[in-house]
Amino acid sequence: MSERQIILCETPDDVADAAADVLLNLQTDALAQRGIFRIALSGGSTPNLLYESLATEEWQADMQWEAWEVFWSDERCVPPDSADSNFRMANESLLKHVPVAEVFRVRGEHPVPDEAAQEYARTLRSRFGPGVPAFDVILLGMGADGHTASLFPNHPALNSAQLIEAVVVEQKVRNRVTFTLNLINHARAVIFLITGAEKSQRVRDILLDQRRDFPAARVEPDEGECIWLLDHAAAELIR
Ligand code: 6PG
């Protein structure tokens, strides 16, 4: 695993701008080497600023949208028009405003989460071919409990050898479909976008105290980059 890169920003807007910069560089590399840019978007609220920023004229011109294939690192088991849908959030803030080549959403509306997970794994194999897909970028957030994507502490999905798992978490919103660590750690680059004081203790636990008992701590790409973008509040206890 390569060393984590920690980029300290001041505000959530600065985190979004820094993420857009990193994405531009990663897009350039991907297109030069493979002529395609495959990205998995994160859910939650933090990345919304990034998506909105990418949809502005400033960034629209820089991104070669026609080479983008868009996926999700997790999704709630809800219809695509639900307020809880990670697809809906990204579509409203970015995707309906830019001409990306292809969008591959998880069918959250599928009545059986396990089958939605298996269907998504088939979708990945249809795009990437055999073996473990190597995304150019996987965007991730982190909850205050140290979860990432829909991989929650002490959940069996953390040790899955699959690409995608369905996750039933009683105290959480909805059932979910999630990338596994097996898939995440095969990425060429993983970018965490983390803001807010409520994340600061977990950021310290993972980045300073090197604790590995949280799912976000186990994101350690085999060969890829792992970039943590933090605002001032989230980085309060590691400065
Ligand atoms: C989800 C996300 C989840 C999120 C974290 C942080 O579907 O909710 O994948 O892992 O990234 O919970 O959420 P916030 O960005 O809203 O703090």
Side-chain angles (χ1 to χ4, degrees):
M1 172 209 169
S2 54
E3 282 300 305
R4 291 186 180 108
Q5 300 167 54
I6 301 169
I7 301 176
L8 302 183
C9 304
E10 275 309 304
T11 68
D13 280 320
D14 295 336
V15 167
D17 288 343
D21 269 329
V22 172
L23 286 180
L24 180 59
N25 292 332
L26 293 170
Q27 174 201 254
T28 301
D29 291 350
L31 297 190
Q33 293 170 37
R34 290 173 296 280
I36 194 165
F37 183 58
R38 291 185 170 124
I39 180 171
L41 301 181
S42 169
S45 56
T46 302
N48 205 39
L49 283 174
L50 168 60
Y51 303 157
E52 290 174 346
S53 181
L54 290 174
T56 62
E57 280 184 27
E58 177 198 352
W59 284 104
Q60 276 218 32
D62 286 328
M63 298 303 181
Q64 295 182 47
W65 302 109
E66 68 287 350
W68 282 44
E69 289 191 358
V70 179
F71 304 76
W72 276 262
S73 49
D74 73 331
E75 184 56 278
R76 290 83 177 275
C77 295
V78 295
D81 59 355
S82 163
D84 285 334
S85 166
N86 289 337
F87 161 80
R88 180 179 181 271
M89 186 263 273
N91 191 50
E92 290 298 314
S93 54
L94 174 59
L95 299 177
K96 72 181 191 180
H97 306 291
V98 294
V100 296
E102 301 236 35
V103 171
F104 299 95
R105 69 177 183 86
V106 180
R107 284 201 314 124
E109 67 275 25
H110 195 301
V112 182
D114 269 332
E115 291 180 17
Q118 290 164 32
E119 180 184 82
Y120 206 50
R122 288 194 296 273
T123 298
L124 296 189
R125 293 204 190 287
S126 74
R127 302 311 296 176
F128 288 83
V132 180
F135 277 87
D136 293 301
V137 186
I138 298 177
L139 299 182
L140 293 174
M142 184 186 72
D145 64 354
H147 82 261
T148 190
S150 289
L151 298 168
F152 294 93
N154 307 311
H155 196 283
L158 283 166
N159 299 309
S160 170
Q162 303 302 317
L163 301 179
I164 308 284
E165 286 284 355
V167 169
V168 178
V169 185
E170 298 314 322
Q171 70 274 28
K172 287 293 175 189
V173 170
R174 318 279 187 200
N175 295 339
R176 294 160 175 242
V177 170
T178 186
F179 279 12
T180 60
L181 289 169
N182 174 38
L183 175 55
I184 291 169
N185 284 332
H186 211 74
R188 294 188 176 89
V190 174
I191 306 174
F192 278 100
L193 286 79
I194 302 174
T195 62
E198 72 279 8
K199 315 285 177 78
S200 60
Q201 181 57 55
R202 205 59 69 227
V203 165
R204 178 190 173 95
D205 289 340
I206 295 171
L207 297 186
L208 200 59
D209 300 344
Q210 299 295 311
R211 286 181 55 179
R212 299 192 73 254
D213 50 334
F214 303 108
R218 293 182 51 190
V219 173
E220 300 172 303
D222 307 325
E223 295 175 10
E225 295 180 73
C226 188
I227 301 166
W228 286 57
L229 294 175
L230 307 170
D231 74 344
H232 191 281
E236 186 65 32
L237 301 180
I238 64 166
R239 284 179 183 275

